[in-house]
Amino acid sequence: MTKKHCEYNELLQTERFIKDRLQNDKINFFGHAEQRQSIYDLLERSATFGESNIALLIGVRGSGKTSLIASALHSIISNPKLTDVVIVRLHGLIDTNDTIALKSITKQLQLEEETDKKLFGSFAEHLAFLLTCLKCGRDRQSRSVIFILEDFHLFCDHTNQNLLYNLFDSAQSNQAPICVIGLTSRLDAVELLEKRVKSRFSHRQIILNPKDISFTERLDIVRKWLSLPTKRDIKSIQSNDEFSKNNKMAWMRRLFDQRKYKFSADWIDEWNSNVDAIMENDSVIESFQLIHDFSETLDVVKKILYQLVNGLDSPMLSANHIQKLCADYCDDGCVKRITDLSVLEICLLIAIKHHSEIYDHDPFNFEIIFTRLNKFVKSAHMNPYDRSIVLASFEKLQNDALIRLLSETSSKVQKEFQMNKLNIMVCQINKAVTKYPNLPTEIKQWAQSSLI
């Protein structure tokens, strides 16, 4: 086999390995160590001691709720002592009523044959039968069941909230060892529960804040995602006291599932050296900074890295390729949309941009932005804008999807105080300001100079 052919083969395997890691990695979870440990402890107690628990994991979309649960569950499944655990996943967008949800539970518990022969008088009787079927052994102990409810708030729309009531009631009455973890983006999810359901809820809530990873840490994460595993990685995990024994085993299985991926030592060294050089490149750092300004989550970065390694036609990564992918992601026609806005709407976006830069992309409401806009208008000696006109322009930005209403914001909150998030990148606003025809000089200076 020629050297060129060997190189091509290893390049192909590298592409598959990194894509597999980006798509299916359930071990690496970055940030939120305290929240992850809390969820893991609940799952472990349920799996080990048959303890029943209920908890809500709350965070904005993209904050990492599903990834956190996947990581914690992987640690539980990887433990050879916890083989008698059943995991049931339900999603509020799919399991839209109790009948569909019950069919999904039955299928995931693999009890279709048993239930086909039975007639049930109520939802509670059906669920109780399913849990009874899980009892095994001489002492008739029931296997632990972990219920994961994605988009938990949507289950509150079910008739009489029968599913939630019976799951919570089973957990509180210890009918069977079950652990119910609800994932939601709504802070007021508990308030959506009926009184009888709320009385059976443990009121254990775990909050995820998306701003848990700094830009420097994100660059390190990108480096890890792109690097190939070495023997040194194995030794560092084995000597790390922060990892439990089972976690170490899981990490090593993941790092060196090399029956599928076989790389020579020379190729690993060459590839990783190239990755290190790329990640030290100033233009690459600036490109990832643009993406960081756009999104606080790692999903966008994963998409770009997937494109980067998909169909590699050269032995090593290129800084220019990364720059182009990041630039393409930024220049998506959004700048043109912004330049079509009115001057007042541009001013609102500039005020939102300054707020995001000062408060590290914190959410905002109309009152916050209106106050910041008025400070600029006063300092620039411009005629003040009428409040109702500004509010209408603010709502137009929402309709144009340039800003978005946070999903956890309650509809009962007055619209001026509902929290929003910038839906575009700061760099896109800056580009639009420079390209906007006949924009007053004061506004350009406001956008490009000191924050007000």
Side-chain angles (χ1 to χ4, degrees):
M1 189 179 291
T2 64
K3 181 181 178 182
K4 188 173 182 180
H5 183 76
C6 291
E7 201 172 72
Y8 173 77
N9 187 41
E10 293 200 287
L11 180 64
L12 196 62
Q13 287 195 79
T14 300
E15 177 188 331
R16 290 173 180 167
F17 177 82
I18 295 175
K19 285 163 68 174
D20 182 39
R21 172 186 276 168
L22 292 171
Q23 288 182 300
N24 304 314
D25 192 356
K26 305 300 183 188
I27 299 170
N28 288 306
F29 181 77
F30 305 100
H32 307 301
E34 184 179 337
Q35 291 89 336
R36 184 194 181 282
Q37 189 61 45
S38 298
I39 291 292
Y40 177 80
D41 289 342
L42 290 178
L43 298 177
E44 185 184 38
R45 290 203 297 270
S46 180
T48 306
F49 307 111
E51 182 179 309
S52 293
N53 289 298
I54 308 169
L56 267 186
L57 185 59
I58 303 173
V60 298
R61 295 196 182 279
S63 57
K65 301 183 295 295
T66 302
S67 297
L68 184 151
I69 290 292
S71 176
L73 284 175
H74 189 279
S75 298
I76 294 293
I77 295 169
S78 300
N79 190 336
K81 297 179 181 178
L82 304 177
T83 55
D84 237 14
V85 180
V86 182
I87 298 171
V88 176
R89 299 175 183 272
L90 301 175
H91 200 295
L93 289 173
I94 300 172
D95 304 295
T96 51
N97 59 54
D98 292 336
T99 304
I100 297 174
L102 204 53
K103 285 182 179 178
S104 181
I105 294 172
T106 305
K107 185 175 181 180
Q108 292 182 61
L109 294 178
Q110 299 179 353
L111 295 173
E112 296 99 322
E113 292 185 6
E114 283 76 1
T115 54
D116 285 345
K117 306 169 186 175
K118 300 274 292 184
L119 289 175
F120 302 99
S122 65
F123 182 96
E125 184 182 337
H126 195 156
L127 183 63
F129 174 78
L130 294 177
L131 296 176
T132 302
C133 289
L134 296 176
K135 293 184 178 180
C136 58
R138 292 182 179 179
D139 50 3
R140 298 290 294 162
Q141 287 188 344
S142 182
R143 299 166 66 187
S144 298
V145 187
I146 296 172
F147 288 89
I148 306 298
L149 275 56
E150 290 263 12
D151 277 345
F152 175 86
H153 52 277
L154 297 179
F155 289 97
C156 299
D157 296 333
H158 289 201
T159 306
N160 298 324
Q161 298 182 357
N162 273 333
L163 174 67
L164 297 180
Y165 174 78
N166 284 284
L167 286 178
F168 289 2
D169 188 57
S170 297
Q172 292 289 358
S173 59
N174 286 326
Q175 296 177 21
I178 69 172
C179 182
V180 183
I181 306 291
L183 281 66
T184 182
S185 57
R186 293 193 55 164
L187 291 171
D188 63 343
V190 176
E191 301 307 315
L192 302 176
L193 297 175
E194 293 179 356
K195 187 175 180 181
R196 64 170 189 155
V197 181
K198 191 185 294 186
S199 67
R200 285 160 175 77
F201 176 51
S202 66
H203 292 275
R204 183 185 285 112
Q205 300 177 58
I206 300 170
I207 310 294
L208 282 192
N209 184 344
K211 300 178 302 179
D212 198 49
I213 307 173
S214 68
F215 176 64
T216 304
E217 289 172 324
R218 285 169 190 250
L219 288 180
D220 290 336
I221 291 169
V222 172
R223 190 193 301 265
K224 289 176 182 176
W225 276 339
L226 290 177
S227 299
L228 296 177
T230 65
K231 292 182 180 179
R232 187 170 48 207
D233 295 327
I234 296 293
K235 289 180 180 178
S236 66
I237 292 170
Q238 288 174 329
S239 61
N240 192 336
D241 293 333
E242 294 181 9
F243 285 98
S244 67
K245 181 179 179 182
N246 294 316
N247 250 349
K248 287 179 182 179
M249 291 171 59
W251 267 80
M252 286 187 282
R253 276 199 300 270
R254 179 64 184 163
L255 280 176
F256 269 122
D257 187 9
Q258 302 298 15
R259 285 157 290 194
K260 227 177 12 172
Y261 303 103
K262 295 184 179 180
F263 307 106
S264 67
D266 290 342
W267 173 262
I268 290 175
D269 291 340
E270 187 180 358
W271 177 270
N272 288 348
S273 296
N274 175 248
V275 170
D276 291 338
I278 287 288
M279 296 309 298
E280 298 297 330
N281 187 299
D282 290 339
S283 62
V284 171
I285 294 174
E286 289 176 8
S287 297
F288 280 119
Q289 180 68 60
L290 291 178
I291 301 303
H292 176 69
D293 292 340
F294 172 73
S295 175
E296 296 173 351
T297 71
L298 292 169
D299 290 343
V300 174
V301 178
K302 278 189 174 183
K303 290 175 184 176
I304 291 173
L305 295 184
Y306 194 92
Q307 287 179 289
L308 178 66
V309 299
N310 187 37
L312 284 173
D313 54 3
S314 61
M316 292 299 149
L317 300 176
S318 163
N320 291 334
H321 193 187
I322 295 176
Q323 279 182 279
K324 185 178 184 304
L325 287 172
C326 292
D328 288 346
Y329 200 91
C330 297
D331 298 333
D332 55 357
C334 187
V335 173
K336 177 66 172 64
R337 288 168 56 206
I338 298 174
T339 55
D340 290 337
L341 299 175
S342 68
V343 172
L344 173 55
E345 289 157 0
I346 284 284
C347 287
L348 284 173
L349 281 180
I350 294 171
I352 293 169
K353 175 182 91 84
H354 286 331
H355 173 85
S356 297
E357 290 173 338
I358 294 171
Y359 296 105
D360 196 18
H361 302 279
D362 270 0
F364 54 86
N365 57 32
F366 169 77
E367 291 297 335
I368 293 172
I369 302 307
F370 185 59
T371 301
R372 187 169 293 281
L373 176 65
N374 279 338
K375 287 175 68 176
F376 162 69
V377 169
K378 187 175 180 181
S379 66
H381 305 290
M382 295 169 59
N383 292 326
Y385 290 104
D386 182 82
R387 179 188 174 88
S388 61
I389 295 176
V390 179
L391 180 58
S393 296
F394 188 84
E395 290 176 339
K396 185 177 184 301
L397 295 181
Q398 290 178 329
N399 294 333
D400 290 346
L402 297 173
I403 61 176
R404 71 178 187 276
L405 194 66
L406 290 186
S407 55
E408 65 267 22
T409 301
S410 173
S411 58
K412 298 178 182 178
V413 178
Q414 191 175 335
K415 61 182 177 181
E416 289 91 336
F417 297 97
Q418 291 177 342
M419 301 308 290
N420 293 263
K421 199 79 171 176
L422 189 60
N423 214 24
I424 55 177
M425 291 186 286
V426 168
C427 66
Q428 290 173 321
I429 299 175
N430 291 333
K431 283 184 181 179
V433 168
T434 59
K435 294 182 178 182
Y436 196 95
N438 302 319
L439 188 67
T441 305
E442 296 89 344
I443 297 176
K444 284 188 176 181
Q445 290 175 342
W446 179 38
Q448 297 167 0
S449 59
S450 60
L451 305 177
I452 296 178

